[in-house]
Amino acid sequence: MEGLSKVVERNIRALIHRRREQDRRRGFEDRLADRITRFTGSMRFVYIHVVLVGVWIAGNLGWIPGFPRFDPSFVVLAMFASVEAIFLSTFVLITQNRMAELADDRAELDVQISLLSEHEITRLITLVTEMARKMEIPQAEDPELRELEQDVAPEKVLDQIDRDEQSITEGE
C-alpha cells in the first residue's frame, strides 16, 4: 500500500482479517438472512417482481390469451404479497440487528482508543510542560495546561453528561 505508513498498513490488514474472521464464525442462518436481504434489496428483485406481478395481473384480467384466470379478485396475489412482506421484513430486521451489534462493537472500540489516546496525550502534555519549565519558556505557566495535565475519568464524564441531560430535560 503505497503512501501509507507501516503501522497504518498493519492496522488495515488486522481490521480486514478480523472482519473475515467474524464473517467465518457467523452461523448459517445469519449468512442466509444476509444473502436474502442483499438480494431483496437489489434491482434484480424489483425487476422479477414487476414481471411476476405484471403477468399475474394481466393474466387474471384476461389480457393474455390462453392464460387461465385463477385469481380474478386478486385475493391470492394480496395474500402472497402479505406473506412475502412478513418474511422480508423479518430478514431485514435480522440483518439490522447484526449490523447494530457490529456498530456497538466498533463504538466501544472507538471509546477505548479515544481513552487510550487521551491518556497518552495527557502524559505528553505533562512531559512537554516540565521540559518547557526547565527551559524557562513562559507558555509553560499557562493555567490551561494544568487542566490538560489531569487524567480524564470516563465514568465522571458519563455521570456529568447524565446530570446535564437530566437538568436540560427538567428545564424544558
Side-chain angles (χ1 to χ4, degrees):
M1 292 179 218
E2 198 170 314
L4 298 177
S5 72
K6 298 282 187 213
V7 172
V8 172
E9 288 179 21
R10 184 201 66 201
N11 290 345
I12 289 171
R13 282 193 298 275
L15 289 172
I16 290 170
H17 176 73
R18 181 176 175 85
R19 188 179 307 139
R20 286 181 179 159
E21 188 63 28
Q22 286 174 333
D23 286 344
R24 190 183 61 75
R25 279 188 264 137
R26 285 188 9 240
F28 171 75
E29 293 88 1
D30 287 336
R31 286 194 302 272
L32 179 63
D34 284 348
R35 284 189 189 117
I36 291 171
T37 302
R38 198 172 17 256
F39 173 67
T40 58
S42 71
M43 286 306 295
R44 178 182 286 160
F45 182 78
V46 172
Y47 297 144
I48 290 170
H49 274 72
V50 166
V51 169
L52 290 175
V53 171
V55 168
W56 189 301
I57 291 172
N60 281 290
L61 289 175
W63 296 349
I64 302 175
F67 192 92
R69 297 177 75 180
F70 61 91
D71 187 21
S73 64
F74 300 105
V75 171
V76 177
L77 176 60
M79 182 205 53
F80 275 126
S82 298
V83 170
E84 180 182 46
I86 291 168
F87 281 108
L88 291 179
S89 61
T90 302
F91 288 122
V92 168
L93 288 172
I94 290 169
T95 300
Q96 284 180 337
N97 286 341
R98 188 182 59 74
M99 291 172 69
E101 288 176 15
L102 289 173
D104 288 346
D105 289 347
R106 288 185 183 125
E108 189 172 310
L109 176 62
D110 285 346
V111 168
Q112 294 298 327
I113 290 171
S114 294
L115 289 172
L116 178 61
S117 297
E118 187 278 329
H119 179 73
E120 291 171 346
I121 290 169
T122 300
R123 293 293 148 246
L124 285 171
I125 289 172
T126 302
L127 179 64
V128 170
T129 302
E130 285 303 314
M131 290 168 57
R133 280 192 188 109
K134 288 197 187 286
M135 297 169 70
E136 298 179 356
I137 298 173
Q139 288 83 356
E141 300 308 321
D142 184 346
E144 194 174 301
L145 286 176
R146 293 273 183 236
E147 286 182 39
L148 294 174
E149 287 178 341
Q150 303 296 316
D151 268 326
V152 174
E155 61 278 357
K156 288 183 179 179
V157 173
L158 293 173
D159 290 343
Q160 185 63 45
I161 289 171
D162 288 343
R163 282 191 298 274
D164 289 352
E165 283 180 344
Q166 188 175 24
S167 67
I168 290 171
T169 304
E170 291 170 358
E172 290 178 354

